[in-house]
Amino acid sequence: MERARPLDVPAIRKDFPILHQQIHGKPLVWLDNAATTQKPQSVIDALSQFYARDNSNIHRGAHTLAARSTDAFEQARQKVQTFLGAASAKEIILVRGSTEGINLVAQTYGRKFLQPGDEIVLSTLEHHANIVPWQMVAREKGAVLRVIPVTDRAEIMLEEYQAILGPRTRLVALAHASNSLGTILPVAEMTQMAHRYNARVLIDGAQSVPHMPVNVQQLGADFFVFSGHKVFGPTGIGVVYAKEELLEIMPPWQGGGSMIRNVTFEETTYADPPTKFEAGTPNVADAVGLGAALDYVDRLGRPAIAKYEQELLQYATGQLARINGLRLIGTAREKVGVLSCVLRDRPTEEVGRLLDLEGIAVRAGHHCAQPSLRRFGLEATVRPSLAFYNTRDEIDRLVDAVRRILRN
């Protein structure tokens, strides 16, 4: 197993130009990483260089820039394959983000294979992006959604999950880590349980890949999605991993250029995967940026990132738990760096605004995961969320600001 070497956080912070500014006269503390992460200079440079030197459409051009752009795009795909531990680059589809990725699977695999009465199993902890697409396809196909409950600590109730699984279970869709409460789901075990019923499993990795090592073959996932902007890369780029044998039998989703082999007015034959699922001009520049972001994360080392962030999470949890009038929501034993909380007699939006006046950026709202919060009788929480460039000093600033808010 790769050994975690300590992170040099002061040096890392120098790589992120956006962190070195003042908001309302106070140094910025970026604690909204579950919504989006900031970008290192190497990613910004990769984007700038692509547009300054290489910009071209890809795959069909006969000229040098087309060749360079094509190579850069396909190298990004290979970097994603390595990053996820996929068996082949053919198993990597480049899309706009996790949301588009889940919709792609729902509208291709789901529409082709779901039958009336089939069951789609989700957890209470899902992001809306892993609920709504399944509702849409279930309504169209006559399938049924089943929901796995969670404990008061926001941990999956595995016995209940086992009871839900059955011969009608066709697909299980799970967050690897909850964006609203931080819970890390035991997805390898849950995938194994689903496969006993020949169900397919989709894992939403948007909140896991930035924070821990992930290997899709070890997890056993049939489908895995993530978003570039959550892993220190650009917005507008994301990934669908799918097992090659599934991509072969799935119909295309969108039609257009690139995804075809031959077109006549009578009939179209489609290209092989992954091209079959990448209609139109792809987001070449942001794919290059994503590749640069994955290089950056790999240079730091995901075991080192996970170790540092867990230490920071434990420190932050301990500090916030001591504040009289603050209630932490979601206290799972296995968590990513998400700290959902509510303050006594203080609306969450007001807390978010007051923290912003202190230069502290957090999310305040339902986090596109309303069912997970309603399980705890809430419509909204304040959600500081951590990344490897955050520090204990920043946690202390958050704690001091929260104490002041509660006093006033």
Side-chain angles (χ1 to χ4, degrees):
M1 189 172 179
E2 189 181 345
R3 213 172 89 230
R5 60 190 181 281
L7 296 183
D8 184 347
V9 177
I12 288 167
R13 288 179 64 83
K14 290 177 185 170
D15 293 337
F16 290 81
I18 203 169
L19 299 180
H20 308 287
Q21 62 176 296
Q22 295 210 328
I23 304 295
H24 302 296
K26 311 277 177 67
L28 170 65
V29 175
W30 184 258
L31 293 173
D32 197 16
N33 294 289
T36 200
T37 52
Q38 299 304 345
K39 320 307 168 196
Q41 190 64 49
S42 60
V43 169
I44 297 166
D45 290 346
L47 287 168
S48 177
Q49 181 175 314
F50 175 82
Y51 280 125
R53 282 190 67 250
D54 301 329
N55 181 50
S56 168
N57 214 324
I58 60 170
H59 289 148
R60 292 172 302 286
H63 51 76
T64 298
L65 267 61
R68 289 208 303 244
S69 293
T70 300
D71 286 348
F73 184 75
E74 293 303 332
Q75 280 169 13
R77 193 192 307 277
Q78 287 162 5
K79 287 176 183 179
V80 173
Q81 176 207 342
T82 303
F83 192 77
L84 291 181
S88 164
K90 293 178 186 174
E91 298 179 321
I92 304 300
I93 305 165
L94 294 169
V95 292
R96 284 186 304 156
S98 298
T99 299
E100 184 170 86
I102 295 166
N103 276 278
L104 186 154
V105 177
Q107 294 297 319
T108 56
Y109 186 86
R111 288 179 79 187
K112 180 169 181 176
F113 293 106
L114 286 170
Q115 302 292 327
D118 283 350
E119 294 178 353
I120 302 166
V121 177
L122 312 174
S123 84
T124 301
L125 300 172
E126 298 312 313
H127 189 281
H128 295 166
N130 206 22
I131 300 173
V132 180
W134 302 115
Q135 284 179 331
M136 293 166 77
V137 76
R139 192 169 296 126
E140 180 185 332
K141 305 301 291 186
V144 178
L145 294 189
R146 304 289 303 277
V147 182
I148 312 159
V150 296
T151 68
D152 290 343
R153 297 183 72 155
E155 293 176 334
I156 289 290
M157 299 171 76
L158 283 174
E159 287 181 14
E160 299 287 341
Y161 172 55
Q162 178 65 67
I164 287 169
L165 292 171
R168 297 312 302 265
T169 308
R170 192 67 60 236
L171 192 134
V172 177
L174 302 168
H176 196 173
S178 161
N179 76 302
S180 59
L181 302 174
T183 305
I184 299 172
L185 281 68
V187 290
E189 183 181 356
M190 295 175 80
T191 298
Q192 205 171 46
M193 291 165 72
H195 283 166
R196 290 183 202 134
Y197 294 91
N198 296 315
R200 297 296 182 182
V201 179
L202 177 141
I203 297 172
D204 171 3
Q207 299 293 340
S208 62
V209 291
H211 306 295
M212 65 179 87
V214 170
N215 184 297
V216 289
Q217 293 189 81
Q218 288 174 7
L219 293 177
D222 298 293
F223 305 100
F224 189 98
V225 302
F226 75 91
S227 297
H229 73 100
K230 308 272 196 200
V231 65
F232 315 98
T235 53
I237 192 75
V239 169
V240 176
Y241 156 82
K243 289 178 177 174
E244 193 171 351
E245 65 266 26
L246 294 177
L247 292 178
E248 296 289 349
I249 60 172
M250 285 159 53
W253 179 27
Q254 296 173 319
S258 301
M259 49 77 71
I260 56 86
R261 182 170 281 120
N262 185 57
V263 175
T264 68
F265 282 108
E266 290 71 38
E267 187 181 17
T268 294
T269 54
Y270 302 118
D272 292 331
T275 311
K276 179 169 75 169
F277 301 98
E278 294 177 350
T281 299
N283 189 351
V284 185
D286 289 332
V288 172
L290 173 61
L294 301 185
D295 286 343
Y296 185 87
V297 169
D298 277 337
R299 277 198 301 276
L300 296 183
R302 281 176 284 175
I305 290 169
K307 183 172 186 294
Y308 176 74
E309 289 183 0
Q310 283 299 311
E311 290 167 357
L312 202 60
L313 173 64
Q314 286 170 19
Y315 178 74
T317 302
Q319 295 298 319
L320 290 171
R322 281 197 275 275
I323 298 176
N324 188 24
L326 181 146
R327 175 187 166 207
L328 283 167
I329 312 296
T331 53
R333 285 158 288 198
E334 298 286 327
K335 282 184 64 171
V336 292
V338 169
L339 298 137
S340 235
C341 60
V342 289
L343 274 61
R344 186 179 55 221
D345 303 327
R346 293 287 186 170
T348 54
E349 291 77 9
E350 181 192 353
V351 175
R353 184 179 55 79
L354 291 170
L355 288 173
D356 179 60
L357 292 173
E358 299 285 341
I360 301 169
V362 300
R363 189 73 24 170
H366 58 58
H367 320 305
C368 297
Q370 288 170 309
S372 68
L373 298 188
R374 286 174 181 156
R375 160 65 178 80
F376 296 90
L378 299 168
E379 288 297 319
T381 64
V382 178
R383 185 193 68 181
S385 50
L386 309 173
F388 51 66
Y389 42 58
N390 292 127
T391 66
R392 289 192 175 209
D393 286 346
E394 291 181 324
I395 300 301
D396 292 341
R397 275 186 60 193
L398 171 69
V399 169
D400 290 345
V402 168
R403 288 188 193 280
R404 280 196 298 276
I405 290 167
L406 282 165
R407 275 199 304 269
N408 294 334

